[in-house]
Amino acid sequence: MSISKNLNNIKSELPAHVTLVAVSKTKPVADLMEAYDAGQRIFGENKIQEMTDKWEVMPKDIEWHMIGHVQTNKVKYMAPYVSLIHGVDSLKLLQEINKQAAKNNRVIDCLLQVYIAEEESKFGLDKQELDEILKQVQNDKENYKNIRIVGLMGMATFTENQNQIEKEFKHLKTIFDKFTIHNSQFTILSMGMSGDYQLAISCGSTMVRIGSSIFGSR
Ligand SMILES: *Cc1c(COP(=O)(O)O)cnc(C)c1O
């Protein structure tokens, strides 16, 4: 199957309210261009250096999403152009994004990454940490003028057990709904990858991050 065919197949089954992020990490620019020529304009990468290299040579109407773990000292490289940072998991990182966004006269959209999986994972916030970060930003708006928290991101456990994945997605959706009530900026729920995006959508995802089903295995 070609990249454009894969892309069109996936797009044809996505509901209109769900945004597709084409996850192109490790893939060469030629592959991304095939997706671009088939109409794709949102790409997700998990390394800032690799994303920046691609940004430099590719058309400028592309939205670049950082979906990986972000090291604070590298935020400056993507601050001039990044559209959405999915994996924000600390106040310190949020402060650095705000600082670098300000230097570039930009407002950068961010998602807070929530820890929903049962397996061991280093990244993501628990419910209490999430509450604290949102409260801090809410109470200190003056110092966060250059970021916008627009929703949440989560990754389910890597397992064949559909019941478990569903439970984790529903849990994230419940948290998302709670915050949406108080915050009209909260519109994006990023959950679902190649193996579980249909399930994620049925649980309320508004943004899916799909790599191997478009570009082939890595
Ligand atoms: C790699 C990656 C994806 C895409 O995974 P596929 O299984 O190839 O679709 C989605 N989200 C994150 C955070 C990733 O690192």
Side-chain angles (χ1 to χ4, degrees), residues 3-4 7 21-47 50-59 61-65 210-211 214-216 218:
I3 290 169
S4 56
L7 193 59
V21 179
V23 175
S24 48
K25 62 192 185 196
T26 78
K27 297 295 176 182
V29 167
D31 286 9
L32 279 71
M33 280 310 298
E34 191 177 334
Y36 180 88
D37 289 337
Q40 184 64 24
R41 292 294 180 274
I42 305 177
F43 291 87
E45 292 280 337
N46 71 340
K47 295 208 169 71
E50 182 180 346
M51 181 168 78
T52 302
D53 290 346
K54 288 171 175 170
W55 166 71
E56 279 172 354
V57 299
M58 290 189 65
D61 61 344
I62 291 173
E63 273 186 33
W64 293 96
H65 288 201
I210 301 180
I214 298 172
F215 296 103
R218 287 179 295 270

mmCIF file of all heavy atoms in Angstrom, residues 3-4 7 21-47 50-59 61-65 210-211 214-216 218:
data_model
loop_
_atom_site.group_PDB
_atom_site.id
_atom_site.type_symbol
_atom_site.label_atom_id
_atom_site.label_comp_id
_atom_site.label_asym_id
_atom_site.label_seq_id
_atom_site.Cartn_x
_atom_site.Cartn_y
_atom_site.Cartn_z
ATOM 1 N N ILE A 3 1.622 5.366 0.700
ATOM 2 C CA ILE A 3 1.341 6.298 1.783
ATOM 3 C C ILE A 3 0.036 7.068 1.518
ATOM 4 O O ILE A 3 -0.807 7.211 2.403
ATOM 5 C CB ILE A 3 2.539 7.273 1.955
ATOM 6 C CG1 ILE A 3 3.740 6.492 2.523
ATOM 7 C CG2 ILE A 3 2.176 8.451 2.846
ATOM 8 C CD1 ILE A 3 5.051 7.250 2.491
ATOM 9 N N SER A 4 -0.131 7.517 0.279
ATOM 10 C CA SER A 4 -1.341 8.303 -0.013
ATOM 11 C C SER A 4 -2.603 7.453 0.115
ATOM 12 O O SER A 4 -3.640 7.920 0.602
ATOM 13 C CB SER A 4 -1.252 8.962 -1.387
ATOM 14 O OG SER A 4 -1.027 7.994 -2.378
ATOM 15 N N LEU A 7 -3.307 6.941 3.810
ATOM 16 C CA LEU A 7 -3.815 8.196 4.354
ATOM 17 C C LEU A 7 -5.288 8.381 3.997
ATOM 18 O O LEU A 7 -6.122 8.697 4.859
ATOM 19 C CB LEU A 7 -2.965 9.335 3.779
ATOM 20 C CG LEU A 7 -3.074 10.710 4.377
ATOM 21 C CD1 LEU A 7 -2.711 10.680 5.852
ATOM 22 C CD2 LEU A 7 -2.120 11.664 3.635
ATOM 23 N N VAL A 21 -3.238 13.656 13.085
ATOM 24 C CA VAL A 21 -1.820 14.011 13.105
ATOM 25 C C VAL A 21 -1.062 12.843 12.478
ATOM 26 O O VAL A 21 -1.118 11.719 12.980
ATOM 27 C CB VAL A 21 -1.319 14.247 14.551
ATOM 28 C CG1 VAL A 21 0.162 14.596 14.557
ATOM 29 C CG2 VAL A 21 -2.136 15.332 15.238
ATOM 30 N N ALA A 22 -0.382 13.106 11.365
ATOM 31 C CA ALA A 22 0.405 12.050 10.708
ATOM 32 C C ALA A 22 1.774 11.979 11.382
ATOM 33 O O ALA A 22 2.575 12.904 11.290
ATOM 34 C CB ALA A 22 0.561 12.354 9.221
ATOM 35 N N VAL A 23 2.004 10.880 12.093
ATOM 36 C CA VAL A 23 3.238 10.764 12.879
ATOM 37 C C VAL A 23 4.373 10.244 11.987
ATOM 38 O O VAL A 23 4.387 9.085 11.581
ATOM 39 C CB VAL A 23 3.031 9.850 14.103
ATOM 40 C CG1 VAL A 23 4.353 9.631 14.839
ATOM 41 C CG2 VAL A 23 1.996 10.463 15.041
ATOM 42 N N SER A 24 5.306 11.138 11.686
ATOM 43 C CA SER A 24 6.311 10.871 10.652
ATOM 44 C C SER A 24 7.725 10.669 11.208
ATOM 45 O O SER A 24 8.700 10.690 10.458
ATOM 46 C CB SER A 24 6.304 12.037 9.666
ATOM 47 O OG SER A 24 6.335 13.292 10.339
ATOM 48 N N LYS A 25 7.832 10.475 12.514
ATOM 49 C CA LYS A 25 9.151 10.281 13.136
ATOM 50 C C LYS A 25 9.929 9.158 12.451
ATOM 51 O O LYS A 25 9.328 8.149 12.076
ATOM 52 C CB LYS A 25 8.987 9.986 14.631
ATOM 53 C CG LYS A 25 8.201 8.714 14.918
ATOM 54 C CD LYS A 25 7.826 8.621 16.400
ATOM 55 C CE LYS A 25 7.161 7.288 16.680
ATOM 56 N NZ LYS A 25 6.451 7.269 17.975
ATOM 57 N N THR A 26 11.200 9.351 12.297
ATOM 58 C CA THR A 26 12.166 8.431 11.665
ATOM 59 C C THR A 26 11.998 8.309 10.138
ATOM 60 O O THR A 26 12.843 7.718 9.471
ATOM 61 C CB THR A 26 12.154 6.992 12.248
ATOM 62 O OG1 THR A 26 11.045 6.262 11.735
ATOM 63 C CG2 THR A 26 12.146 6.991 13.771
ATOM 64 N N LYS A 27 10.937 8.871 9.579
ATOM 65 C CA LYS A 27 10.696 8.720 8.134
ATOM 66 C C LYS A 27 11.378 9.846 7.351
ATOM 67 O O LYS A 27 11.457 10.978 7.831
ATOM 68 C CB LYS A 27 9.190 8.720 7.865
ATOM 69 C CG LYS A 27 8.447 7.558 8.514
ATOM 70 C CD LYS A 27 8.886 6.224 7.935
ATOM 71 C CE LYS A 27 8.218 5.050 8.656
ATOM 72 N NZ LYS A 27 8.680 3.748 8.139
ATOM 73 N N PRO A 28 11.832 9.542 6.132
ATOM 74 C CA PRO A 28 12.515 10.564 5.325
ATOM 75 C C PRO A 28 11.535 11.603 4.764
ATOM 76 O O PRO A 28 10.334 11.327 4.620
ATOM 77 C CB PRO A 28 13.137 9.747 4.186
ATOM 78 C CG PRO A 28 12.291 8.531 4.072
ATOM 79 C CD PRO A 28 11.782 8.233 5.458
ATOM 80 N N VAL A 29 12.071 12.753 4.421
ATOM 81 C CA VAL A 29 11.267 13.855 3.896
ATOM 82 C C VAL A 29 10.427 13.427 2.683
ATOM 83 O O VAL A 29 9.282 13.853 2.534
ATOM 84 C CB VAL A 29 12.178 15.058 3.542
ATOM 85 C CG1 VAL A 29 11.439 16.095 2.713
ATOM 86 C CG2 VAL A 29 12.726 15.704 4.817
ATOM 87 N N ALA A 30 10.979 12.558 1.848
ATOM 88 C CA ALA A 30 10.236 12.104 0.663
ATOM 89 C C ALA A 30 8.911 11.450 1.049
ATOM 90 O O ALA A 30 7.885 11.648 0.389
ATOM 91 C CB ALA A 30 11.089 11.123 -0.138
ATOM 92 N N ASP A 31 8.919 10.699 2.147
ATOM 93 C CA ASP A 31 7.680 10.063 2.621
ATOM 94 C C ASP A 31 6.685 11.117 3.110
ATOM 95 O O ASP A 31 5.484 11.029 2.857
ATOM 96 C CB ASP A 31 7.982 9.085 3.772
ATOM 97 C CG ASP A 31 8.648 7.801 3.281
ATOM 98 O OD1 ASP A 31 9.026 7.745 2.090
ATOM 99 O OD2 ASP A 31 8.791 6.857 4.088
ATOM 100 N N LEU A 32 7.188 12.088 3.833
ATOM 101 C CA LEU A 32 6.307 13.157 4.324
ATOM 102 C C LEU A 32 5.722 13.930 3.150
ATOM 103 O O LEU A 32 4.546 14.305 3.161
ATOM 104 C CB LEU A 32 7.072 14.122 5.242
ATOM 105 C CG LEU A 32 7.280 13.689 6.698
ATOM 106 C CD1 LEU A 32 8.278 12.542 6.812
ATOM 107 C CD2 LEU A 32 7.742 14.855 7.557
ATOM 108 N N MET A 33 6.540 14.153 2.128
ATOM 109 C CA MET A 33 6.065 14.894 0.955
ATOM 110 C C MET A 33 4.970 14.132 0.209
ATOM 111 O O MET A 33 4.077 14.740 -0.360
ATOM 112 C CB MET A 33 7.227 15.227 0.014
ATOM 113 C CG MET A 33 8.051 16.439 0.442
ATOM 114 S SD MET A 33 7.089 17.939 0.830
ATOM 115 C CE MET A 33 6.309 18.284 -0.748
ATOM 116 N N GLU A 34 5.062 12.802 0.239
ATOM 117 C CA GLU A 34 3.991 12.030 -0.392
ATOM 118 C C GLU A 34 2.668 12.260 0.340
ATOM 119 O O GLU A 34 1.612 12.433 -0.269
ATOM 120 C CB GLU A 34 4.357 10.532 -0.409
ATOM 121 C CG GLU A 34 3.427 9.723 -1.283
ATOM 122 C CD GLU A 34 3.797 8.247 -1.390
ATOM 123 O OE1 GLU A 34 4.990 7.902 -1.223
ATOM 124 O OE2 GLU A 34 2.876 7.442 -1.637
ATOM 125 N N ALA A 35 2.747 12.298 1.661
ATOM 126 C CA ALA A 35 1.538 12.584 2.458
ATOM 127 C C ALA A 35 1.092 14.027 2.238
ATOM 128 O O ALA A 35 -0.110 14.305 2.124
ATOM 129 C CB ALA A 35 1.825 12.331 3.943
ATOM 130 N N TYR A 36 2.047 14.925 2.153
ATOM 131 C CA TYR A 36 1.726 16.343 1.908
ATOM 132 C C TYR A 36 0.993 16.490 0.569
ATOM 133 O O TYR A 36 -0.035 17.164 0.473
ATOM 134 C CB TYR A 36 3.007 17.171 1.913
ATOM 135 C CG TYR A 36 2.785 18.649 1.661
ATOM 136 C CD1 TYR A 36 2.518 19.515 2.720
ATOM 137 C CD2 TYR A 36 2.828 19.175 0.362
ATOM 138 C CE1 TYR A 36 2.300 20.867 2.491
ATOM 139 C CE2 TYR A 36 2.613 20.518 0.131
ATOM 140 C CZ TYR A 36 2.346 21.370 1.196
ATOM 141 O OH TYR A 36 2.124 22.708 0.965
ATOM 142 N N ASP A 37 1.516 15.844 -0.446
ATOM 143 C CA ASP A 37 0.910 15.947 -1.773
ATOM 144 C C ASP A 37 -0.480 15.322 -1.808
ATOM 145 O O ASP A 37 -1.296 15.659 -2.657
ATOM 146 C CB ASP A 37 1.818 15.299 -2.827
ATOM 147 C CG ASP A 37 3.071 16.122 -3.082
ATOM 148 O OD1 ASP A 37 3.052 17.355 -2.812
ATOM 149 O OD2 ASP A 37 4.096 15.557 -3.523
ATOM 150 N N ALA A 38 -0.744 14.407 -0.874
ATOM 151 C CA ALA A 38 -2.083 13.814 -0.769
ATOM 152 C C ALA A 38 -2.985 14.668 0.116
ATOM 153 O O ALA A 38 -4.119 14.276 0.414
ATOM 154 C CB ALA A 38 -1.983 12.398 -0.212
ATOM 155 N N GLY A 39 -2.493 15.816 0.561
ATOM 156 C CA GLY A 39 -3.344 16.759 1.284
ATOM 157 C C GLY A 39 -3.078 16.894 2.772
ATOM 158 O O GLY A 39 -3.669 17.741 3.441
ATOM 159 N N GLN A 40 -2.178 16.072 3.320
ATOM 160 C CA GLN A 40 -1.934 16.127 4.765
ATOM 161 C C GLN A 40 -1.124 17.367 5.140
ATOM 162 O O GLN A 40 -0.107 17.665 4.495
ATOM 163 C CB GLN A 40 -1.200 14.858 5.217
ATOM 164 C CG GLN A 40 -0.977 14.759 6.714
ATOM 165 C CD GLN A 40 -2.273 14.667 7.514
ATOM 166 O OE1 GLN A 40 -3.307 14.242 7.010
ATOM 167 N NE2 GLN A 40 -2.241 15.094 8.763
ATOM 168 N N ARG A 41 -1.572 18.102 6.160
ATOM 169 C CA ARG A 41 -0.865 19.321 6.559
ATOM 170 C C ARG A 41 -0.429 19.302 8.021
ATOM 171 O O ARG A 41 0.218 20.239 8.486
ATOM 172 C CB ARG A 41 -1.761 20.553 6.326
ATOM 173 C CG ARG A 41 -2.022 20.859 4.853
ATOM 174 C CD ARG A 41 -0.735 21.273 4.151
ATOM 175 N NE ARG A 41 -0.939 21.576 2.730
ATOM 176 C CZ ARG A 41 -0.912 20.677 1.748
ATOM 177 N NH1 ARG A 41 -0.670 19.397 2.020
ATOM 178 N NH2 ARG A 41 -1.105 21.037 0.493
ATOM 179 N N ILE A 42 -0.787 18.271 8.771
ATOM 180 C CA ILE A 42 -0.388 18.196 10.182
ATOM 181 C C ILE A 42 0.514 16.981 10.377
ATOM 182 O O ILE A 42 0.116 15.843 10.082
ATOM 183 C CB ILE A 42 -1.611 18.083 11.110
ATOM 184 C CG1 ILE A 42 -2.591 19.229 10.850
ATOM 185 C CG2 ILE A 42 -1.170 18.078 12.574
ATOM 186 C CD1 ILE A 42 -3.872 19.140 11.687
ATOM 187 N N PHE A 43 1.735 17.251 10.840
ATOM 188 C CA PHE A 43 2.693 16.176 11.061
ATOM 189 C C PHE A 43 3.158 16.174 12.513
ATOM 190 O O PHE A 43 3.330 17.230 13.118
ATOM 191 C CB PHE A 43 3.893 16.332 10.124
ATOM 192 C CG PHE A 43 3.568 16.084 8.672
ATOM 193 C CD1 PHE A 43 3.102 17.115 7.865
ATOM 194 C CD2 PHE A 43 3.692 14.815 8.125
ATOM 195 C CE1 PHE A 43 2.776 16.889 6.521
ATOM 196 C CE2 PHE A 43 3.366 14.577 6.792
ATOM 197 C CZ PHE A 43 2.905 15.615 5.988
ATOM 198 N N GLY A 44 3.357 14.975 13.061
ATOM 199 C CA GLY A 44 3.818 14.828 14.433
ATOM 200 C C GLY A 44 5.195 14.192 14.471
ATOM 201 O O GLY A 44 5.457 13.210 13.773
ATOM 202 N N GLU A 45 6.081 14.763 15.279
ATOM 203 C CA GLU A 45 7.435 14.232 15.444
ATOM 204 C C GLU A 45 7.717 14.112 16.932
ATOM 205 O O GLU A 45 7.122 14.822 17.751
ATOM 206 C CB GLU A 45 8.453 15.192 14.803
ATOM 207 C CG GLU A 45 8.371 15.269 13.288
ATOM 208 C CD GLU A 45 9.083 14.098 12.590
ATOM 209 O OE1 GLU A 45 9.982 13.496 13.203
ATOM 210 O OE2 GLU A 45 8.723 13.805 11.428
ATOM 211 N N ASN A 46 8.667 13.223 17.297
ATOM 212 C CA ASN A 46 8.954 13.086 18.727
ATOM 213 C C ASN A 46 10.360 13.551 19.122
ATOM 214 O O ASN A 46 10.745 13.437 20.275
ATOM 215 C CB ASN A 46 8.688 11.658 19.207
ATOM 216 C CG ASN A 46 9.710 10.672 18.687
ATOM 217 O OD1 ASN A 46 10.392 10.950 17.692
ATOM 218 N ND2 ASN A 46 9.822 9.530 19.340
ATOM 219 N N LYS A 47 11.131 14.064 18.131
ATOM 220 C CA LYS A 47 12.441 14.635 18.461
ATOM 221 C C LYS A 47 12.532 16.039 17.880
ATOM 222 O O LYS A 47 12.284 16.242 16.677
ATOM 223 C CB LYS A 47 13.556 13.757 17.900
ATOM 224 C CG LYS A 47 13.614 12.374 18.546
ATOM 225 C CD LYS A 47 15.034 11.825 18.507
ATOM 226 C CE LYS A 47 15.184 10.596 19.376
ATOM 227 N NZ LYS A 47 14.503 9.415 18.812
ATOM 228 N N GLU A 50 15.039 16.511 14.827
ATOM 229 C CA GLU A 50 14.536 15.914 13.585
ATOM 230 C C GLU A 50 13.381 16.733 13.016
ATOM 231 O O GLU A 50 13.294 16.977 11.805
ATOM 232 C CB GLU A 50 14.078 14.466 13.864
ATOM 233 C CG GLU A 50 13.582 13.736 12.630
ATOM 234 C CD GLU A 50 13.123 12.299 12.935
ATOM 235 O OE1 GLU A 50 13.442 11.789 14.037
ATOM 236 O OE2 GLU A 50 12.448 11.714 12.076
ATOM 237 N N MET A 51 12.488 17.182 13.883
ATOM 238 C CA MET A 51 11.349 17.997 13.441
ATOM 239 C C MET A 51 11.834 19.299 12.814
ATOM 240 O O MET A 51 11.336 19.718 11.769
ATOM 241 C CB MET A 51 10.415 18.274 14.632
ATOM 242 C CG MET A 51 9.185 19.086 14.265
ATOM 243 S SD MET A 51 7.932 19.111 15.561
ATOM 244 C CE MET A 51 8.634 20.317 16.696
ATOM 245 N N THR A 52 12.843 19.907 13.440
ATOM 246 C CA THR A 52 13.359 21.188 12.946
ATOM 247 C C THR A 52 14.040 21.016 11.587
ATOM 248 O O THR A 52 13.854 21.836 10.680
ATOM 249 C CB THR A 52 14.325 21.799 13.983
ATOM 250 O OG1 THR A 52 13.613 21.952 15.220
ATOM 251 C CG2 THR A 52 14.834 23.157 13.533
ATOM 252 N N ASP A 53 14.787 19.934 11.443
ATOM 253 C CA ASP A 53 15.409 19.648 10.143
ATOM 254 C C ASP A 53 14.350 19.523 9.045
ATOM 255 O O ASP A 53 14.532 20.022 7.935
ATOM 256 C CB ASP A 53 16.207 18.327 10.204
ATOM 257 C CG ASP A 53 17.472 18.454 11.056
ATOM 258 O OD1 ASP A 53 17.867 19.594 11.371
ATOM 259 O OD2 ASP A 53 18.043 17.405 11.413
ATOM 260 N N LYS A 54 13.250 18.863 9.360
ATOM 261 C CA LYS A 54 12.180 18.680 8.369
ATOM 262 C C LYS A 54 11.450 19.998 8.103
ATOM 263 O O LYS A 54 11.124 20.320 6.959
ATOM 264 C CB LYS A 54 11.220 17.588 8.843
ATOM 265 C CG LYS A 54 11.827 16.187 8.756
ATOM 266 C CD LYS A 54 10.962 15.127 9.424
ATOM 267 C CE LYS A 54 11.557 13.730 9.187
ATOM 268 N NZ LYS A 54 10.901 12.686 10.004
ATOM 269 N N TRP A 55 11.193 20.739 9.178
ATOM 270 C CA TRP A 55 10.526 22.041 9.042
ATOM 271 C C TRP A 55 11.296 22.953 8.088
ATOM 272 O O TRP A 55 10.714 23.648 7.257
ATOM 273 C CB TRP A 55 10.382 22.702 10.419
ATOM 274 C CG TRP A 55 10.021 24.150 10.347
ATOM 275 C CD1 TRP A 55 8.805 24.682 9.965
ATOM 276 C CD2 TRP A 55 10.864 25.277 10.651
ATOM 277 N NE1 TRP A 55 8.853 26.056 10.019
ATOM 278 C CE2 TRP A 55 10.104 26.442 10.429
ATOM 279 C CE3 TRP A 55 12.185 25.402 11.090
ATOM 280 C CZ2 TRP A 55 10.628 27.728 10.638
ATOM 281 C CZ3 TRP A 55 12.698 26.675 11.296
ATOM 282 C CH2 TRP A 55 11.924 27.814 11.069
ATOM 283 N N GLU A 56 12.627 22.921 8.218
ATOM 284 C CA GLU A 56 13.460 23.824 7.417
ATOM 285 C C GLU A 56 13.319 23.577 5.913
ATOM 286 O O GLU A 56 13.364 24.509 5.129
ATOM 287 C CB GLU A 56 14.938 23.697 7.834
ATOM 288 C CG GLU A 56 15.230 24.499 9.086
ATOM 289 C CD GLU A 56 16.631 24.247 9.650
ATOM 290 O OE1 GLU A 56 17.346 23.362 9.133
ATOM 291 O OE2 GLU A 56 16.979 24.936 10.622
ATOM 292 N N VAL A 57 13.150 22.319 5.526
ATOM 293 C CA VAL A 57 13.140 22.018 4.086
ATOM 294 C C VAL A 57 11.738 21.804 3.509
ATOM 295 O O VAL A 57 11.591 21.694 2.295
ATOM 296 C CB VAL A 57 14.013 20.776 3.764
ATOM 297 C CG1 VAL A 57 15.461 21.033 4.168
ATOM 298 C CG2 VAL A 57 13.480 19.522 4.451
ATOM 299 N N MET A 58 10.733 21.766 4.359
ATOM 300 C CA MET A 58 9.395 21.435 3.840
ATOM 301 C C MET A 58 8.511 22.680 3.707
ATOM 302 O O MET A 58 8.827 23.741 4.223
ATOM 303 C CB MET A 58 8.759 20.357 4.713
ATOM 304 C CG MET A 58 9.465 19.008 4.530
ATOM 305 S SD MET A 58 8.634 17.643 5.328
ATOM 306 C CE MET A 58 7.098 17.549 4.405
ATOM 307 N N PRO A 59 7.384 22.566 2.976
ATOM 308 C CA PRO A 59 6.503 23.721 2.763
ATOM 309 C C PRO A 59 6.067 24.355 4.082
ATOM 310 O O PRO A 59 5.909 23.670 5.091
ATOM 311 C CB PRO A 59 5.304 23.120 2.013
ATOM 312 C CG PRO A 59 5.845 21.913 1.327
ATOM 313 C CD PRO A 59 6.894 21.367 2.253
ATOM 314 N N ASP A 61 3.298 25.771 5.005
ATOM 315 C CA ASP A 61 1.904 25.710 5.471
ATOM 316 C C ASP A 61 1.633 24.436 6.293
ATOM 317 O O ASP A 61 0.494 24.089 6.567
ATOM 318 C CB ASP A 61 0.911 25.814 4.299
ATOM 319 C CG ASP A 61 1.065 24.692 3.288
ATOM 320 O OD1 ASP A 61 2.118 23.999 3.296
ATOM 321 O OD2 ASP A 61 0.143 24.500 2.477
ATOM 322 N N ILE A 62 2.704 23.759 6.700
ATOM 323 C CA ILE A 62 2.550 22.568 7.543
ATOM 324 C C ILE A 62 2.457 22.968 9.017
ATOM 325 O O ILE A 62 3.162 23.866 9.469
ATOM 326 C CB ILE A 62 3.748 21.605 7.342
ATOM 327 C CG1 ILE A 62 3.695 20.993 5.935
ATOM 328 C CG2 ILE A 62 3.761 20.498 8.409
ATOM 329 C CD1 ILE A 62 4.931 20.166 5.588
ATOM 330 N N GLU A 63 1.563 22.301 9.740
ATOM 331 C CA GLU A 63 1.502 22.438 11.211
ATOM 332 C C GLU A 63 2.360 21.335 11.814
ATOM 333 O O GLU A 63 2.091 20.152 11.588
ATOM 334 C CB GLU A 63 0.067 22.211 11.709
ATOM 335 C CG GLU A 63 -0.806 23.417 11.723
ATOM 336 C CD GLU A 63 -2.156 23.080 12.367
ATOM 337 O OE1 GLU A 63 -2.232 22.244 13.285
ATOM 338 O OE2 GLU A 63 -3.146 23.658 11.901
ATOM 339 N N TRP A 64 3.342 21.727 12.612
ATOM 340 C CA TRP A 64 4.212 20.736 13.249
ATOM 341 C C TRP A 64 3.802 20.517 14.705
ATOM 342 O O TRP A 64 3.700 21.481 15.464
ATOM 343 C CB TRP A 64 5.676 21.187 13.170
ATOM 344 C CG TRP A 64 6.175 21.204 11.767
ATOM 345 C CD1 TRP A 64 6.238 22.274 10.927
ATOM 346 C CD2 TRP A 64 6.643 20.074 11.008
ATOM 347 N NE1 TRP A 64 6.732 21.892 9.693
ATOM 348 C CE2 TRP A 64 6.986 20.548 9.723
ATOM 349 C CE3 TRP A 64 6.813 18.715 11.292
ATOM 350 C CZ2 TRP A 64 7.483 19.698 8.720
ATOM 351 C CZ3 TRP A 64 7.300 17.880 10.297
ATOM 352 C CH2 TRP A 64 7.635 18.367 9.034
ATOM 353 N N HIS A 65 3.555 19.268 15.050
ATOM 354 C CA HIS A 65 3.190 18.922 16.422
ATOM 355 C C HIS A 65 4.330 18.147 17.081
ATOM 356 O O HIS A 65 4.809 17.161 16.518
ATOM 357 C CB HIS A 65 1.939 18.039 16.441
ATOM 358 C CG HIS A 65 0.679 18.758 16.089
ATOM 359 N ND1 HIS A 65 -0.564 18.293 16.431
ATOM 360 C CD2 HIS A 65 0.455 19.930 15.424
ATOM 361 C CE1 HIS A 65 -1.490 19.137 15.998
ATOM 362 N NE2 HIS A 65 -0.897 20.124 15.377
ATOM 363 N N ILE A 210 -1.335 9.101 14.280
ATOM 364 C CA ILE A 210 -1.174 7.834 13.576
ATOM 365 C C ILE A 210 0.100 7.830 12.742
ATOM 366 O O ILE A 210 0.310 8.701 11.895
ATOM 367 C CB ILE A 210 -2.412 7.552 12.697
ATOM 368 C CG1 ILE A 210 -3.667 7.504 13.585
ATOM 369 C CG2 ILE A 210 -2.228 6.246 11.931
ATOM 370 C CD1 ILE A 210 -4.954 7.233 12.837
ATOM 371 N N GLY A 211 0.956 6.854 13.005
ATOM 372 C CA GLY A 211 2.227 6.748 12.300
ATOM 373 C C GLY A 211 2.294 5.549 11.380
ATOM 374 O O GLY A 211 2.146 5.647 10.174
ATOM 375 N N ILE A 214 0.074 4.753 8.416
ATOM 376 C CA ILE A 214 0.216 5.625 7.243
ATOM 377 C C ILE A 214 1.540 5.361 6.536
ATOM 378 O O ILE A 214 1.585 5.109 5.331
ATOM 379 C CB ILE A 214 0.152 7.124 7.632
ATOM 380 C CG1 ILE A 214 -1.199 7.459 8.248
ATOM 381 C CG2 ILE A 214 0.425 8.002 6.399
ATOM 382 C CD1 ILE A 214 -1.279 8.874 8.835
ATOM 383 N N PHE A 215 2.631 5.405 7.315
ATOM 384 C CA PHE A 215 3.972 5.378 6.718
ATOM 385 C C PHE A 215 4.627 4.005 6.714
ATOM 386 O O PHE A 215 5.743 3.845 6.219
ATOM 387 C CB PHE A 215 4.888 6.365 7.463
ATOM 388 C CG PHE A 215 4.459 7.806 7.344
ATOM 389 C CD1 PHE A 215 3.813 8.459 8.386
ATOM 390 C CD2 PHE A 215 4.697 8.508 6.158
ATOM 391 C CE1 PHE A 215 3.429 9.792 8.267
ATOM 392 C CE2 PHE A 215 4.312 9.844 6.038
ATOM 393 C CZ PHE A 215 3.676 10.488 7.097
ATOM 394 N N GLY A 216 3.969 3.008 7.301
ATOM 395 C CA GLY A 216 4.573 1.695 7.429
ATOM 396 C C GLY A 216 5.353 1.581 8.728
ATOM 397 O O GLY A 216 5.550 2.566 9.427
ATOM 398 N N ARG A 218 8.280 1.124 11.576
ATOM 399 C CA ARG A 218 9.536 1.872 11.728
ATOM 400 C C ARG A 218 10.686 0.934 12.066
ATOM 401 O O ARG A 218 10.523 -0.011 12.739
ATOM 402 C CB ARG A 218 9.389 2.928 12.833
ATOM 403 C CG ARG A 218 8.527 4.087 12.425
ATOM 404 C CD ARG A 218 8.394 5.075 13.572
ATOM 405 N NE ARG A 218 7.684 4.497 14.711
ATOM 406 C CZ ARG A 218 6.379 4.536 14.895
ATOM 407 N NH1 ARG A 218 5.606 5.135 14.028
ATOM 408 N NH2 ARG A 218 5.826 3.975 15.938
#
